[in-house]
Each structure stands twice: as C-alpha cells, then as structure tokens.
Amino acid sequence: MRSFTFTSLSESVILLMFHNTISEDVHLQVMHAKQRIEQTPFPGFTEAVPAYTSLAIHFQPQLIETTNSISSTVQQYIFDLLTQPVTETQQQTERLIEIPVCYDETVAPDLIETARQLQLTTDELISIHLSKTYRLYMLGFTPGFPYLGKLDERIITQRKQQPRLSVPAGSVAIAGEQTGIYPFATPGGWNIIGQTPVQLFNRSSENPFLLQAGDQVQFKQITLQEFYALSSSTKKSEES
Amino acid sequence: MSTPLLHIEQCGFLTSLQDTGRKGYLQYGVSKGGAMDQYAAELANTLVGNTTSQAVLEITQSPHRFRVLKDTVVAFTGGGLQPQINDVSIPLLQPQFVSAGTVISCKQPLPGFRLYMAVAGGFAAEQFLGSSSTDLLLTAGGLNGRTLKKEDVLEQRNKRSPLQQSLLNVLKAGAAIELPVKPVAHTTIIRVLQGPEWHFLTAEANTLFSNSSFTVTANSNRMGYRIKGIALPANRSCNIISSPVTQGTVQLTDAGEMILLMADAQTVGGYPRIAQVCAADLSLLAQKKPTDTIQFQIVSLQEAEELYVQQQNELKKTAGILQSKL
C-alpha cells in the first residue's frame, strides 16, 4: 500500500510526505525510503534528507534526461522504486550509540527548576531520562543537533520562555517530547538537564558527525569527576 | 603550487570566498551554503574559463580595494559595486586582463547588492566537506572559515588551462573578446511556487501575497531575509512538525511575517512553507538589500523548471562561445 504523497518543494527538491504524526513507525518508513533511494540512485540524485514525517530528495535538474516535466520524471522513478517489492531482506542497520551524561547541577543549569516544575525529585527526573533508548529522528537546528524521542510522558516540558543567548557545547536538554544535545555553543531554548563530554562534531575527521538519523541513543550517567576527566581527554585528542 | 594573487587593501563588511556549496551533508544539519547569487558566481567562473564550481569572491556592497599581484584574467558579475582601475570602470560580464600591480577599487554603487569576482584558475580556499564555501557558523571553508579582512592575501588555486592561457594572451595583446551576455534586470518581481503549506493562508492572504509589496528588513543576512509588509492571516496555528526546508523557502511566522531562506539556510524548520522562490529568481533576491521592495508572482512548477534550464543553458552557451573565440 502506498503510504506517502509527493510534492515539489522546489525545482530541485521533491518531498515524500508520510503520515503527519511523529512516531517510530512513520520514521521507519522515512528511513526505509531513504535507504532504497541511496541504494538505487537515479542520475542527478544528490542526497536524501530525512525529517520526522518526510524525506527531501535533492537532485540536479539539468542531469535529468526527459522530454516531460523534470519533477514528474523524478517522481515516477521514485514511485516505481518504492512500490517495487523488496527483493532481498533489507535490514535497516540501526546503530546503538551510548552517550555519557553528567547530570550534576554545576553543568545542568535547569535540572533543579525543571524537576520542580514536573513535581519530581532531580533523581527521579534523571532516572526517567535514562530509562529509555531514544530514536534519532533527524539532525538540524544547527549542524549535528540530534532530535531524539520520544520522552516519557512524565518529563514533558515547555521550552524556556527566554531562550539562552549561549548554551554550552555538549548540553543535554529536553523540550516537549524531545531530548537533544547542543553540539556547539549556540542560542537555545530547551531545558538543560545535563552535559556530555563527548564531541558530536569533530572537524578533523572525514565524517565529522558522530550521530545520524535512525540511530538509537542510550544515555549513561557519569559523575562530575568522570565528566571533567573525559572532557580534558577529548580536548587533548583534539589538540594533538 | 598556488601563488599570491590578490592583496586585500581595503575590505567591506561581508566578503567571503564561496562556490556552489556543499552536497551530501544536509542530513547532518549542515547548510548547503555557497554563493548567494549562484548564477552570478557560475557566470563569473564561466567568463574566465573555469568550471562553474570554483571559489569566487562574494563582495557585499561597501568599499573595497584589491591589489593584483600577478598577471591574470578576472571577470565581475552580479551588482552592487562598480569595479574600477584608476577611476576607469571595468565592464561587468566580460573577461578582463589585469596586469601585476594593478589596483582594483570598488566604491561606486551599482544596482544590486553583491558583486562576484572570478579569476582564471580560481581562488585557493580551504576545503571543508567537499566545498570551498565559507561556512560562518562552523567557521570552516574559504579563508579560515571567516569573512575577509584588510591585508588578507588570496592565492590562485589551479594553473591556468591552455584555454585560459590563450585567453590571457589575447586579452593582454589588447584584443577584445565580446561575449554576448545579457545583464540581469533588477526587477522587483520575484517568481515563486506555492509551497507545501500554501493552504495555511486564508483566501484573503492568498490575494495579499500576490498583490502586495514587501520590504527587505535590516534583519537579513546570508541565512535568510526577514521581509515586512501587510501581515498574512493564516487559517491555523503557524506550526508544523519540523520538516525539510531549502534555499528559497518562504516561511510564515505566527505574526504573519515572512522569512525567505537564503544560501546559509538551516536544513529543517517548523514554520509553514507557504512558497518557494524559483531557483532562477533566487539570484535576483540575492541582489536585494535592506529597504528594497519585492513583489511575488506565482508561477507553475513547469515554468520554474523551464526558467532554470534556460539559465543553465545560458551558462553552457557562454562557455561554448568563449571556447570558439580562442
């Protein structure tokens, strides 16, 4: 059954839109379509960008050979590809990535206030945050910022009314049904409940991004001492 | 080996090395980047015999002065500034021989906002994720990932090709190579497609969108333009599940205002995408500056595709003519 619709975002981007709700099932369909197009790309294809409920397929219009409209030609190709039965068992390879997080209030400026608003103790908030493995729906907002979900209902919060002008790099934060990690010091409006010493972005490596859409992310609690030790070792490896 | 080519003696406020942008990293949240006026950048490269993806200088309207350190062929495209040598204007849209020691100054305003300068062989630049474009957010690419400043020295990337060598020789000997390149008309009309959330606008807003003028505000940069005008009423809350956006996407905010995403656009957004600027007219938009007014005209996807293909063919034709003249 066809579970998506097409629309053109521009002359060079076709959107595949799936059911308009945030769910693991819908996102699996998005990632499955991405994988199939990447495995069997059409001439002119440049990249497929996943989001919660849609996939943006970028291409170079001048490389599409057709006597018809360029977009409808690409649409037809994608439609044919995605409605073909899956021949071999195409296992989606989802990686499980562990991210150490320090929940000490010295690096978690909103921990106490967020727990208070949720009528939880800080320990309860932390253990609920640690209790699930999260799905990485997409990267965006800034390069490498992971949108992870969904949070346990007990720790759903509003964004901060006044976003911070600068959030420290590595801040682990929650807002709505999502949790995320700020890869860089940027403005940010989410509630910061922890910090990771791990660098999500390493400019000297060939693929500088630690995470990608479709990953499973598991947070692991570390102490403040471990946090500082790991922070200084990542700094050292960056300098060398 | 690269050699010093251009000494920046005076630099304005937002001048950087840019190319056709990054491919393959949107899924990591990295913007495509590249020249704001992509057509002008590709045309400048074409006019000096480069491939269209070489790094060019994007010069934003403000006084600049460059000293050329070795004989070269340059081409200026876009707008905003009139390049001059000893107070004599150099024509835009044509390859020019410039000898070592020449000072090019850009101070006279022209219509438009961004001037592009290409040199034969291209400018050397730091490659980051497959592109020379300066990413100001990641401080990567271009020259140390930053805008240029006084006393910077740019180098030539590649040796001149045989075609570029004969182009230099011919121009140096004083022969003129006139290429039939049409200047871009700086119209206020920006052609757009209806976006995926066009239906978020009320019927009244649909009319207002096409029949009103909007002003580019000072709150505009390489990431996006905020435009002001009559507020466009929406028939529902201006929030969508965060979804892909691209260069040229027109977003509607809760206040009924519009944000036009430009070269350094983010990759996803939660505002409704009510329209999409045609690729061909993104160049026109890149030449708008704060206080300029624009009007939208809705066209069909087929029309937009034709405009785009036409522009690409124009570049190919120009490259062919240059080749045939040498």
Side-chain angles (χ1 to χ4, degrees):
Chain A
M1 201 185 73
R2 183 177 161 183
S3 55
F4 55 87
T5 55
F6 285 111
T7 190
S8 280
L9 182 58
S10 76
E11 301 90 331
S12 58
V13 185
I14 283 177
L15 285 176
L16 241 64
M17 304 198 293
F18 296 82
H19 192 259
N20 194 34
T21 49
I22 298 179
S23 81
E24 187 158 332
D25 180 50
V26 170
H27 192 251
L28 277 167
Q29 294 175 39
V30 172
M31 295 306 290
H32 182 66
K34 175 177 186 281
Q35 192 188 27
R36 288 195 84 176
I37 293 162
E38 286 172 345
Q39 279 169 351
T40 320
F42 54 93
F45 168 78
T46 54
E47 59 187 302
V49 187
Y52 286 107
T53 63
S54 53
L55 183 70
I57 295 150
H58 291 245
F59 55 93
Q60 295 177 281
Q62 66 272 31
L63 298 183
I64 309 297
E65 284 194 27
T66 180
T67 49
N68 291 321
S69 133
I70 294 167
S71 297
S72 56
T73 305
V74 176
Q75 278 190 18
Q76 191 60 50
Y77 175 87
I78 298 165
F79 180 80
D80 290 346
L81 179 69
L82 297 183
T83 49
Q84 264 170 33
V86 184
T87 46
E88 68 244 59
T89 43
Q90 286 173 322
Q91 285 269 315
Q92 300 217 15
T93 47
E94 290 186 344
R95 309 181 304 174
L96 176 66
I97 306 219
E98 196 178 72
I99 304 269
V101 180
C102 173
Y103 293 92
D104 190 282
E105 59 187 82
T106 50
V107 293
D110 299 323
L111 182 72
I112 293 170
E113 176 58 21
T114 306
R116 194 191 61 78
Q117 279 174 20
L118 294 168
Q119 302 182 333
L120 297 169
T121 65
T122 54
D123 282 348
E124 284 167 344
L125 170 56
I126 292 163
S127 75
I128 295 168
H129 190 247
L130 285 165
S131 66
K132 283 180 84 169
T133 298
Y134 298 107
R135 183 172 184 80
L136 202 166
Y137 285 94
M138 61 179 189
L139 297 164
F141 169 61
T142 64
F145 182 100
Y147 287 83
L148 301 160
K150 295 177 176 183
L151 288 177
D152 185 291
E153 282 178 4
R154 288 170 291 172
I155 58 169
I156 292 175
T157 53
Q158 298 280 317
R159 285 159 198 241
K160 294 177 76 68
Q161 293 218 320
Q162 284 293 328
R164 284 191 174 83
L165 291 176
S166 184
V167 165
S171 292
V172 175
I174 59 173
E177 292 180 301
Q178 309 301 313
T179 181
I181 308 165
Y182 289 90
F184 305 98
T186 53
W190 291 21
N191 304 294
I192 302 169
I193 61 163
Q195 196 173 333
T196 178
V198 170
Q199 286 185 306
L200 300 195
F201 173 78
N202 178 357
R203 66 178 69 229
S204 54
S205 84
E206 196 183 333
N207 180 355
F209 297 97
L210 178 67
L211 302 172
Q212 64 187 38
D215 283 348
Q216 298 287 332
V217 172
Q218 172 76 62
F219 293 119
K220 179 187 157 228
Q221 187 168 16
I222 55 169
T223 64
L224 194 59
Q225 283 87 343
E226 288 169 321
F227 173 78
Y228 286 130
L230 287 167
S231 300
S232 63
S233 75
T234 47
K235 283 214 183 74
K236 244 175 242 153
S237 73
E238 198 188 29
E239 280 158 16
S240 65
Chain B
M1 211 186 73
S2 44
T3 49
L5 178 68
L6 197 71
H7 177 205
I8 317 289
E9 293 191 339
Q10 182 187 12
C11 198
F13 75 99
L14 180 58
T15 289
S16 61
L17 289 165
Q18 298 293 343
D19 63 11
T20 41
R22 307 203 146 75
K23 284 189 189 75
Y25 294 91
L26 292 168
Q27 62 173 303
Y28 298 101
V30 179
S31 70
K32 182 164 183 269
M36 289 279 277
D37 184 341
Q38 200 58 239
Y39 178 69
E42 293 188 28
L43 180 60
N45 273 325
T46 302
L47 292 171
V48 297
N50 287 340
T51 57
T52 52
S53 58
Q54 289 293 327
V56 299
L57 208 48
E58 178 176 278
I59 305 161
T60 309
Q61 192 177 56
S62 48
H64 287 74
R65 200 170 64 247
F66 310 111
R67 182 178 294 272
V68 177
L69 302 175
K70 66 169 206 174
D71 287 6
T72 187
V73 177
V74 303
F76 290 96
T77 60
L81 288 162
Q82 174 63 61
Q84 294 176 315
I85 297 173
N86 296 326
D87 291 329
V88 178
S89 295
I90 323 174
L92 268 62
L93 307 174
Q94 298 295 332
Q96 302 286 326
F97 169 75
V98 188
S99 60
T102 303
V103 173
I104 302 173
S105 66
C106 305
K107 50 181 194 265
Q108 301 288 338
L110 278 184
F113 196 43
R114 290 169 227 271
L115 182 71
Y116 291 85
M117 177 188 192
V119 294
F123 287 108
E126 175 195 322
Q127 291 281 307
F128 175 68
L129 305 181
S131 156
S132 299
S133 285
T134 309
D135 187 317
L136 296 171
L137 181 69
L138 290 174
T139 60
L143 185 71
N144 301 323
R146 60 166 170 80
T147 54
L148 299 189
K149 57 183 194 223
K150 193 179 162 171
E151 305 304 353
D152 280 341
V153 175
L154 300 180
E155 299 183 340
Q156 184 180 319
R157 184 184 186 191
N158 298 325
K159 264 180 64 175
R160 280 190 289 273
S161 66
L163 175 107
Q164 289 173 326
Q165 191 55 49
S166 45
L167 175 63
L168 185 136
N169 294 341
V170 167
L171 292 171
K172 189 176 182 177
I177 292 191
E178 295 268 315
L179 295 171
V181 181
K182 280 179 291 190
V184 175
H186 291 280
T187 66
T188 58
I189 306 282
I190 304 291
R191 287 167 290 193
V192 299
L193 301 167
Q194 292 179 351
E197 283 80 43
W198 170 255
H199 60 280
F200 276 42
L201 294 174
T202 63
E204 181 205 356
N206 288 345
T207 316
L208 289 172
F209 178 83
S210 303
N211 294 353
S212 314
S213 285
F214 299 92
T215 307
V216 177
T217 70
N219 197 357
S220 298
N221 54 32
R222 280 186 43 93
M223 287 177 75
Y225 289 2
R226 277 193 177 255
I227 59 171
K228 258 200 132 52
I230 190 157
L232 299 180
N235 54 28
R236 66 194 81 181
S237 151
C238 279
N239 283 301
I240 59 168
I241 294 173
S242 283
S243 296
V245 292
T246 188
Q247 297 172 339
T249 299
V250 181
Q251 296 179 312
L252 183 70
T253 70
D254 290 307
E257 292 182 350
M258 285 179 277
I259 302 171
L260 315 183
L261 299 181
M262 300 300 287
D264 289 346
Q266 71 269 28
T267 56
V268 289
Y271 288 128
R273 303 156 291 183
I274 55 167
Q276 176 69 35
V277 176
C278 293
D281 282 2
L282 211 44
S283 288
L284 275 178
L285 195 57
Q287 293 297 344
K288 301 298 176 199
K289 55 176 169 288
T291 74
D292 282 351
T293 58
I294 55 171
Q295 274 174 295
F296 295 116
Q297 183 192 335
I298 296 170
V299 297
S300 69
L301 179 59
Q302 199 186 337
E303 211 173 321
E305 285 178 351
E306 281 163 12
L307 287 168
Y308 178 83
V309 170
Q310 221 175 315
Q311 226 180 33
Q312 291 295 313
N313 288 343
E314 202 70 30
L315 288 173
K316 265 187 234 148
K317 203 178 86 190
T318 305
I321 294 172
L322 179 66
Q323 200 141 26
S324 71
K325 292 210 174 198
L326 294 167

